[in-house]
Amino acid sequence: AQSVTQLGSHVSVSEGALVLLRCNYSSSVPPYLFWYVQYPNQGLQLLLKYTTGATLVKGINGFEAEFKKSETSFHLTKPSAHMSDAAEYFCAVSTNYGQNFVFGPGTRLSVLP
Amino acid sequence: DTAVSQTPKYLVTQMGNDKSIKCEQNLGHDTMYWYKQDSKKFLKIMFSYNNKELIINETVPNRFSPKSPDKAHLNLHINSLELGDSAVYFCASRFRDRNTEAFFGQGTRLTVV
């Protein structure tokens, strides 16, 4: 079975500062990893995903994440936060032929002016 | 054209009532899910269907019954609604065997009074 932890239920950064949202996973088989964003009163939108190949993946809105197998991590970063980045961010894990699509508890990102 | 659509978007009902939420996807996906998002934003998988067959049935009260008439639809029926059922319910779909992300509907905000 797979599971996901996200360190920090709430992260605050200043506008223009680096955004770092942490995600660690547990999986007995090679994982497929995803980051989603949820804006208030909306559904979930995919930011980026790692399935195979390059371990540094780029997504929408300037976000990127790096898969580190040795650390079982898939942290999300953005060099410079924008006010519009304020939202809830979820990391998710699945596996090849896996039925399960499991989410972490989420991290709320606040961006301060 | 909406990829994953849920109806209704809002549902306010009294305790003890029975209600249904409908979900349709036009992406040709073979797997569909129901998730419950509580007030702390935690996304908990409830059910998962693959080609109309129930694959995942997490610990959910028997009052919740999913129905998949075909691969494109997964409805959720809830009997004898309780206050604790108040939440946002999300439908999602994906190709299980292609390592793809899940696509989400906009959610149904259920309020039991």
Short mmCIF file of all heavy atoms in Angstrom, two decimals, chain B residues 40-89:
data_model
loop_
_atom_site.label_atom_id
_atom_site.label_comp_id
_atom_site.label_asym_id
_atom_site.label_seq_id
_atom_site.Cartn_x
_atom_site.Cartn_y
_atom_site.Cartn_z
N LYS B 40 -11.16 19.87 7.12
CA LYS B 40 -9.71 20.12 7.21
C LYS B 40 -9.01 19.88 5.88
O LYS B 40 -7.79 19.84 5.81
CB LYS B 40 -9.10 19.21 8.29
CG LYS B 40 -9.60 19.53 9.68
CD LYS B 40 -8.89 18.72 10.74
CE LYS B 40 -9.39 19.10 12.12
NZ LYS B 40 -8.75 18.32 13.19
N LYS B 41 -9.80 19.72 4.83
CA LYS B 41 -9.30 19.58 3.46
C LYS B 41 -8.71 18.21 3.16
O LYS B 41 -8.14 18.03 2.09
CB LYS B 41 -8.26 20.67 3.13
CG LYS B 41 -8.79 22.07 3.26
CD LYS B 41 -9.89 22.34 2.26
CE LYS B 41 -10.32 23.79 2.32
NZ LYS B 41 -11.44 24.05 1.38
N PHE B 42 -8.80 17.27 4.11
CA PHE B 42 -8.23 15.95 3.85
C PHE B 42 -9.06 15.22 2.82
O PHE B 42 -10.28 15.14 2.94
CB PHE B 42 -8.16 15.16 5.15
CG PHE B 42 -7.43 13.87 5.01
CD1 PHE B 42 -6.06 13.85 4.85
CD2 PHE B 42 -8.11 12.67 5.02
CE1 PHE B 42 -5.37 12.66 4.70
CE2 PHE B 42 -7.43 11.47 4.87
CZ PHE B 42 -6.06 11.46 4.71
N LEU B 43 -8.40 14.65 1.80
CA LEU B 43 -9.07 13.92 0.72
C LEU B 43 -9.00 12.43 1.00
O LEU B 43 -7.94 11.82 0.92
CB LEU B 43 -8.40 14.21 -0.61
CG LEU B 43 -8.78 15.50 -1.30
CD1 LEU B 43 -7.71 15.91 -2.28
CD2 LEU B 43 -10.11 15.35 -2.02
N LYS B 44 -10.14 11.84 1.28
CA LYS B 44 -10.18 10.42 1.62
C LYS B 44 -10.88 9.66 0.50
O LYS B 44 -11.99 9.99 0.11
CB LYS B 44 -10.94 10.23 2.92
CG LYS B 44 -11.02 8.78 3.40
CD LYS B 44 -11.79 8.71 4.69
CE LYS B 44 -11.83 7.34 5.32
NZ LYS B 44 -12.14 6.24 4.47
N ILE B 45 -10.20 8.65 -0.02
CA ILE B 45 -10.82 7.86 -1.07
C ILE B 45 -11.94 7.01 -0.45
O ILE B 45 -11.80 6.45 0.63
CB ILE B 45 -9.78 6.97 -1.79
CG1 ILE B 45 -10.36 6.36 -3.05
CG2 ILE B 45 -9.21 5.92 -0.87
CD1 ILE B 45 -9.31 5.73 -3.96
N MET B 46 -13.07 6.97 -1.14
CA MET B 46 -14.21 6.20 -0.66
C MET B 46 -14.37 4.93 -1.50
O MET B 46 -14.44 3.83 -0.98
CB MET B 46 -15.48 7.03 -0.75
CG MET B 46 -15.45 8.31 0.06
SD MET B 46 -16.91 9.32 -0.24
CE MET B 46 -18.18 8.34 0.55
N PHE B 47 -14.48 5.12 -2.80
CA PHE B 47 -14.71 4.01 -3.71
C PHE B 47 -13.89 4.20 -4.97
O PHE B 47 -13.59 5.32 -5.37
CB PHE B 47 -16.19 3.94 -4.13
CG PHE B 47 -17.15 3.80 -2.99
CD1 PHE B 47 -17.89 4.89 -2.57
CD2 PHE B 47 -17.33 2.58 -2.36
CE1 PHE B 47 -18.78 4.78 -1.52
CE2 PHE B 47 -18.23 2.45 -1.32
CZ PHE B 47 -18.95 3.55 -0.89
N SER B 48 -13.58 3.06 -5.60
CA SER B 48 -12.93 3.10 -6.90
C SER B 48 -13.51 2.00 -7.77
O SER B 48 -13.67 0.86 -7.32
CB SER B 48 -11.42 2.91 -6.75
OG SER B 48 -10.84 2.80 -8.03
N TYR B 49 -13.85 2.35 -9.00
CA TYR B 49 -14.37 1.40 -9.96
C TYR B 49 -13.43 1.32 -11.15
O TYR B 49 -12.90 2.34 -11.60
CB TYR B 49 -15.74 1.85 -10.46
CG TYR B 49 -16.89 1.39 -9.63
CD1 TYR B 49 -17.14 1.95 -8.38
CD2 TYR B 49 -17.75 0.39 -10.08
CE1 TYR B 49 -18.19 1.52 -7.60
CE2 TYR B 49 -18.82 -0.05 -9.31
CZ TYR B 49 -19.04 0.53 -8.08
OH TYR B 49 -20.09 0.10 -7.32
N ASN B 50 -13.26 0.11 -11.66
CA ASN B 50 -12.52 -0.09 -12.88
C ASN B 50 -13.41 -0.87 -13.84
O ASN B 50 -13.82 -1.98 -13.52
CB ASN B 50 -11.22 -0.85 -12.61
CG ASN B 50 -10.43 -1.12 -13.89
OD1 ASN B 50 -10.46 -2.22 -14.43
ND2 ASN B 50 -9.75 -0.10 -14.36
N ASN B 51 -13.71 -0.26 -14.99
CA ASN B 51 -14.61 -0.90 -15.96
C ASN B 51 -15.89 -1.41 -15.30
O ASN B 51 -16.30 -2.55 -15.49
CB ASN B 51 -13.92 -2.04 -16.70
CG ASN B 51 -12.88 -1.53 -17.67
OD1 ASN B 51 -13.11 -0.54 -18.37
ND2 ASN B 51 -11.74 -2.19 -17.71
N LYS B 52 -16.49 -0.57 -14.52
CA LYS B 52 -17.76 -0.82 -13.84
C LYS B 52 -17.67 -1.79 -12.67
O LYS B 52 -18.68 -2.12 -12.05
CB LYS B 52 -18.82 -1.36 -14.83
CG LYS B 52 -19.24 -0.40 -15.90
CD LYS B 52 -20.14 -1.07 -16.94
CE LYS B 52 -21.27 -1.84 -16.33
NZ LYS B 52 -22.09 -2.52 -17.35
N GLU B 53 -16.48 -2.27 -12.37
CA GLU B 53 -16.33 -3.23 -11.27
C GLU B 53 -15.75 -2.52 -10.05
O GLU B 53 -14.74 -1.81 -10.15
CB GLU B 53 -15.40 -4.36 -11.69
CG GLU B 53 -15.17 -5.40 -10.60
CD GLU B 53 -14.13 -6.44 -11.00
OE1 GLU B 53 -13.65 -6.37 -12.15
OE2 GLU B 53 -13.78 -7.27 -10.15
N LEU B 54 -16.37 -2.74 -8.90
CA LEU B 54 -15.89 -2.13 -7.67
C LEU B 54 -14.57 -2.76 -7.27
O LEU B 54 -14.48 -3.97 -7.09
CB LEU B 54 -16.92 -2.33 -6.55
CG LEU B 54 -16.55 -1.76 -5.17
CD1 LEU B 54 -16.41 -0.25 -5.23
CD2 LEU B 54 -17.58 -2.17 -4.14
N ILE B 55 -13.55 -1.95 -7.12
CA ILE B 55 -12.22 -2.44 -6.79
C ILE B 55 -11.84 -2.03 -5.37
O ILE B 55 -11.28 -2.81 -4.61
CB ILE B 55 -11.17 -1.92 -7.78
CG1 ILE B 55 -11.54 -2.31 -9.20
CG2 ILE B 55 -9.78 -2.42 -7.40
CD1 ILE B 55 -11.57 -3.80 -9.47
N ILE B 56 -12.10 -0.79 -5.05
CA ILE B 56 -11.74 -0.28 -3.72
C ILE B 56 -13.01 0.16 -3.02
O ILE B 56 -13.82 0.89 -3.57
CB ILE B 56 -10.78 0.92 -3.81
CG1 ILE B 56 -9.44 0.45 -4.34
CG2 ILE B 56 -10.61 1.59 -2.46
CD1 ILE B 56 -8.46 1.59 -4.56
N ASN B 57 -13.15 -0.32 -1.79
CA ASN B 57 -14.28 0.08 -0.96
C ASN B 57 -13.72 0.34 0.43
O ASN B 57 -13.60 -0.58 1.22
CB ASN B 57 -15.34 -1.01 -0.96
CG ASN B 57 -16.57 -0.61 -0.19
OD1 ASN B 57 -16.65 0.47 0.37
ND2 ASN B 57 -17.56 -1.47 -0.16
N GLU B 58 -13.31 1.57 0.66
CA GLU B 58 -12.70 1.88 1.95
C GLU B 58 -13.76 1.81 3.05
O GLU B 58 -14.94 1.60 2.78
CB GLU B 58 -12.06 3.26 1.88
CG GLU B 58 -10.88 3.34 0.94
CD GLU B 58 -9.67 2.57 1.44
OE1 GLU B 58 -9.58 2.31 2.65
OE2 GLU B 58 -8.82 2.21 0.60
N THR B 59 -13.30 1.99 4.25
CA THR B 59 -14.22 1.92 5.39
C THR B 59 -15.20 3.08 5.31
O THR B 59 -14.91 4.21 5.71
CB THR B 59 -13.43 1.99 6.71
OG1 THR B 59 -12.45 0.96 6.70
CG2 THR B 59 -14.37 1.80 7.89
N VAL B 60 -16.32 2.79 4.73
CA VAL B 60 -17.37 3.79 4.53
C VAL B 60 -18.68 3.18 5.03
O VAL B 60 -18.92 1.99 4.80
CB VAL B 60 -17.48 4.14 3.03
CG1 VAL B 60 -18.63 5.07 2.77
CG2 VAL B 60 -16.18 4.75 2.53
N PRO B 61 -19.51 3.95 5.72
CA PRO B 61 -20.78 3.39 6.18
C PRO B 61 -21.60 2.80 5.05
O PRO B 61 -21.54 3.26 3.90
CB PRO B 61 -21.48 4.60 6.79
CG PRO B 61 -20.39 5.53 7.17
CD PRO B 61 -19.31 5.34 6.15
N ASN B 62 -22.35 1.76 5.37
CA ASN B 62 -23.20 1.10 4.37
C ASN B 62 -24.24 2.03 3.77
O ASN B 62 -24.85 1.71 2.74
CB ASN B 62 -23.91 -0.10 4.99
CG ASN B 62 -22.94 -1.21 5.32
OD1 ASN B 62 -21.86 -1.28 4.75
ND2 ASN B 62 -23.32 -2.06 6.26
N ARG B 63 -24.44 3.16 4.41
CA ARG B 63 -25.42 4.12 3.90
C ARG B 63 -24.96 4.71 2.56
O ARG B 63 -25.76 5.29 1.82
CB ARG B 63 -25.62 5.25 4.90
CG ARG B 63 -26.15 4.80 6.25
CD ARG B 63 -26.34 5.97 7.20
NE ARG B 63 -25.09 6.60 7.57
CZ ARG B 63 -24.66 7.75 7.07
NH1 ARG B 63 -25.37 8.40 6.14
NH2 ARG B 63 -23.52 8.27 7.47
N PHE B 64 -23.68 4.58 2.27
CA PHE B 64 -23.13 5.08 1.01
C PHE B 64 -23.08 3.92 0.01
O PHE B 64 -22.45 2.88 0.28
CB PHE B 64 -21.71 5.62 1.21
CG PHE B 64 -21.67 6.90 1.99
CD1 PHE B 64 -21.75 6.89 3.37
CD2 PHE B 64 -21.53 8.11 1.34
CE1 PHE B 64 -21.72 8.07 4.10
CE2 PHE B 64 -21.49 9.30 2.05
CZ PHE B 64 -21.58 9.27 3.43
N SER B 65 -23.71 4.10 -1.13
CA SER B 65 -23.71 3.04 -2.13
C SER B 65 -23.40 3.64 -3.50
O SER B 65 -24.16 4.46 -4.02
CB SER B 65 -25.03 2.28 -2.15
OG SER B 65 -26.11 3.17 -2.32
N PRO B 66 -22.29 3.24 -4.09
CA PRO B 66 -21.95 3.70 -5.43
C PRO B 66 -22.65 2.83 -6.47
O PRO B 66 -22.93 1.66 -6.23
CB PRO B 66 -20.43 3.49 -5.48
CG PRO B 66 -20.18 2.34 -4.57
CD PRO B 66 -21.24 2.36 -3.51
N LYS B 67 -22.90 3.46 -7.62
CA LYS B 67 -23.50 2.70 -8.73
C LYS B 67 -22.82 3.15 -10.01
O LYS B 67 -22.75 4.34 -10.28
CB LYS B 67 -25.01 2.99 -8.82
CG LYS B 67 -25.85 2.46 -7.71
CD LYS B 67 -26.22 1.01 -7.93
CE LYS B 67 -27.26 0.45 -6.99
NZ LYS B 67 -27.23 0.89 -5.64
N SER B 68 -22.36 2.19 -10.80
CA SER B 68 -21.71 2.51 -12.05
C SER B 68 -22.47 1.84 -13.19
O SER B 68 -22.20 0.67 -13.52
CB SER B 68 -20.26 2.03 -12.03
OG SER B 68 -19.60 2.38 -13.22
N PRO B 69 -23.40 2.52 -13.82
CA PRO B 69 -24.18 1.91 -14.89
C PRO B 69 -23.35 1.64 -16.14
O PRO B 69 -23.68 0.71 -16.91
CB PRO B 69 -25.27 2.96 -15.18
CG PRO B 69 -24.73 4.24 -14.64
CD PRO B 69 -23.82 3.90 -13.51
N ASP B 70 -22.31 2.42 -16.34
CA ASP B 70 -21.38 2.19 -17.45
C ASP B 70 -20.06 2.86 -17.11
O ASP B 70 -19.94 3.53 -16.08
CB ASP B 70 -21.95 2.71 -18.78
CG ASP B 70 -22.34 4.18 -18.70
OD1 ASP B 70 -21.47 5.01 -18.39
OD2 ASP B 70 -23.53 4.49 -18.94
N LYS B 71 -19.07 2.67 -17.97
CA LYS B 71 -17.73 3.16 -17.66
C LYS B 71 -17.66 4.67 -17.50
O LYS B 71 -16.75 5.19 -16.85
CB LYS B 71 -16.76 2.74 -18.77
CG LYS B 71 -16.27 1.33 -18.68
CD LYS B 71 -15.49 0.90 -19.91
CE LYS B 71 -14.49 1.91 -20.39
NZ LYS B 71 -13.65 1.39 -21.49
N ALA B 72 -18.61 5.38 -18.07
CA ALA B 72 -18.55 6.84 -18.06
C ALA B 72 -19.27 7.46 -16.87
O ALA B 72 -19.19 8.68 -16.68
CB ALA B 72 -19.14 7.39 -19.35
N HIS B 73 -19.96 6.67 -16.10
CA HIS B 73 -20.76 7.20 -15.00
C HIS B 73 -20.48 6.47 -13.69
O HIS B 73 -20.35 5.24 -13.67
CB HIS B 73 -22.26 7.06 -15.32
CG HIS B 73 -22.70 7.87 -16.50
ND1 HIS B 73 -22.57 7.41 -17.79
CD2 HIS B 73 -23.23 9.12 -16.58
CE1 HIS B 73 -23.03 8.33 -18.62
NE2 HIS B 73 -23.44 9.38 -17.92
N LEU B 74 -20.41 7.25 -12.63
CA LEU B 74 -20.30 6.68 -11.29
C LEU B 74 -21.09 7.59 -10.35
O LEU B 74 -20.70 8.71 -10.07
CB LEU B 74 -18.85 6.60 -10.82
CG LEU B 74 -18.65 6.01 -9.41
CD1 LEU B 74 -19.17 4.57 -9.36
CD2 LEU B 74 -17.18 6.06 -9.01
N ASN B 75 -22.22 7.07 -9.90
CA ASN B 75 -23.10 7.84 -9.04
C ASN B 75 -22.92 7.41 -7.59
O ASN B 75 -22.50 6.28 -7.31
CB ASN B 75 -24.55 7.67 -9.48
CG ASN B 75 -24.75 8.06 -10.94
OD1 ASN B 75 -24.14 9.00 -11.42
ND2 ASN B 75 -25.59 7.32 -11.65
N LEU B 76 -23.24 8.32 -6.70
CA LEU B 76 -23.11 8.04 -5.27
C LEU B 76 -24.45 8.30 -4.61
O LEU B 76 -24.97 9.41 -4.67
CB LEU B 76 -22.05 8.93 -4.64
CG LEU B 76 -21.73 8.70 -3.16
CD1 LEU B 76 -21.13 7.32 -2.95
CD2 LEU B 76 -20.79 9.78 -2.64
N HIS B 77 -25.01 7.27 -4.00
CA HIS B 77 -26.28 7.40 -3.30
C HIS B 77 -26.02 7.31 -1.81
O HIS B 77 -25.27 6.44 -1.36
CB HIS B 77 -27.26 6.30 -3.74
CG HIS B 77 -28.63 6.52 -3.21
ND1 HIS B 77 -29.50 7.46 -3.72
CD2 HIS B 77 -29.27 5.91 -2.18
CE1 HIS B 77 -30.62 7.43 -3.03
NE2 HIS B 77 -30.52 6.49 -2.10
N ILE B 78 -26.64 8.21 -1.07
CA ILE B 78 -26.45 8.23 0.38
C ILE B 78 -27.80 8.14 1.06
O ILE B 78 -28.69 8.96 0.80
CB ILE B 78 -25.74 9.52 0.85
CG1 ILE B 78 -24.55 9.86 -0.07
CG2 ILE B 78 -25.25 9.35 2.29
CD1 ILE B 78 -23.96 11.22 0.17
N ASN B 79 -27.95 7.14 1.89
CA ASN B 79 -29.20 6.94 2.65
C ASN B 79 -29.08 7.55 4.05
O ASN B 79 -27.98 7.62 4.61
CB ASN B 79 -29.51 5.45 2.79
CG ASN B 79 -29.93 4.82 1.50
OD1 ASN B 79 -30.55 5.46 0.65
ND2 ASN B 79 -29.57 3.56 1.32
N SER B 80 -30.21 7.92 4.58
CA SER B 80 -30.30 8.35 5.99
C SER B 80 -29.17 9.32 6.35
O SER B 80 -28.35 9.05 7.24
CB SER B 80 -30.24 7.13 6.92
OG SER B 80 -31.25 6.22 6.60
N LEU B 81 -29.13 10.42 5.68
CA LEU B 81 -28.03 11.37 5.85
C LEU B 81 -27.88 11.82 7.29
O LEU B 81 -28.86 12.03 8.02
CB LEU B 81 -28.24 12.56 4.93
CG LEU B 81 -27.77 12.31 3.50
CD1 LEU B 81 -28.50 13.17 2.50
CD2 LEU B 81 -26.27 12.54 3.42
N GLU B 82 -26.61 11.97 7.70
CA GLU B 82 -26.27 12.42 9.04
C GLU B 82 -25.47 13.72 8.96
O GLU B 82 -24.89 14.03 7.91
CB GLU B 82 -25.42 11.34 9.75
CG GLU B 82 -26.13 10.02 9.88
CD GLU B 82 -25.25 8.95 10.52
OE1 GLU B 82 -24.06 9.24 10.80
OE2 GLU B 82 -25.75 7.83 10.73
N LEU B 83 -25.43 14.43 10.08
CA LEU B 83 -24.70 15.69 10.11
C LEU B 83 -23.25 15.51 9.68
O LEU B 83 -22.69 16.35 8.97
CB LEU B 83 -24.75 16.31 11.51
CG LEU B 83 -26.11 16.80 12.00
CD1 LEU B 83 -26.02 17.29 13.45
CD2 LEU B 83 -26.66 17.90 11.11
N GLY B 84 -22.65 14.39 10.10
CA GLY B 84 -21.24 14.13 9.80
C GLY B 84 -20.97 13.85 8.34
O GLY B 84 -19.80 13.77 7.93
N ASP B 85 -22.01 13.71 7.55
CA ASP B 85 -21.81 13.49 6.11
C ASP B 85 -21.54 14.80 5.38
O ASP B 85 -21.17 14.79 4.20
CB ASP B 85 -23.05 12.83 5.50
CG ASP B 85 -23.32 11.45 6.09
OD1 ASP B 85 -22.36 10.80 6.53
OD2 ASP B 85 -24.50 11.04 6.11
N SER B 86 -21.73 15.92 6.07
CA SER B 86 -21.47 17.21 5.45
C SER B 86 -20.01 17.30 5.05
O SER B 86 -19.10 17.11 5.87
CB SER B 86 -21.81 18.35 6.41
OG SER B 86 -23.19 18.36 6.70
N ALA B 87 -19.76 17.57 3.80
CA ALA B 87 -18.40 17.59 3.25
C ALA B 87 -18.51 17.97 1.78
O ALA B 87 -19.60 18.16 1.25
CB ALA B 87 -17.74 16.21 3.38
N VAL B 88 -17.34 18.03 1.13
CA VAL B 88 -17.33 18.18 -0.32
C VAL B 88 -16.95 16.82 -0.91
O VAL B 88 -15.96 16.20 -0.50
CB VAL B 88 -16.32 19.25 -0.78
CG1 VAL B 88 -16.36 19.38 -2.30
CG2 VAL B 88 -16.62 20.59 -0.13
N TYR B 89 -17.73 16.35 -1.84
CA TYR B 89 -17.50 15.05 -2.47
C TYR B 89 -16.99 15.28 -3.89
O TYR B 89 -17.60 16.02 -4.68
CB TYR B 89 -18.78 14.22 -2.47
CG TYR B 89 -19.19 13.82 -1.09
CD1 TYR B 89 -19.94 14.69 -0.29
CD2 TYR B 89 -18.81 12.59 -0.55
CE1 TYR B 89 -20.29 14.34 1.01
CE2 TYR B 89 -19.16 12.24 0.75
CZ TYR B 89 -19.90 13.12 1.52
OH TYR B 89 -20.24 12.77 2.81
#
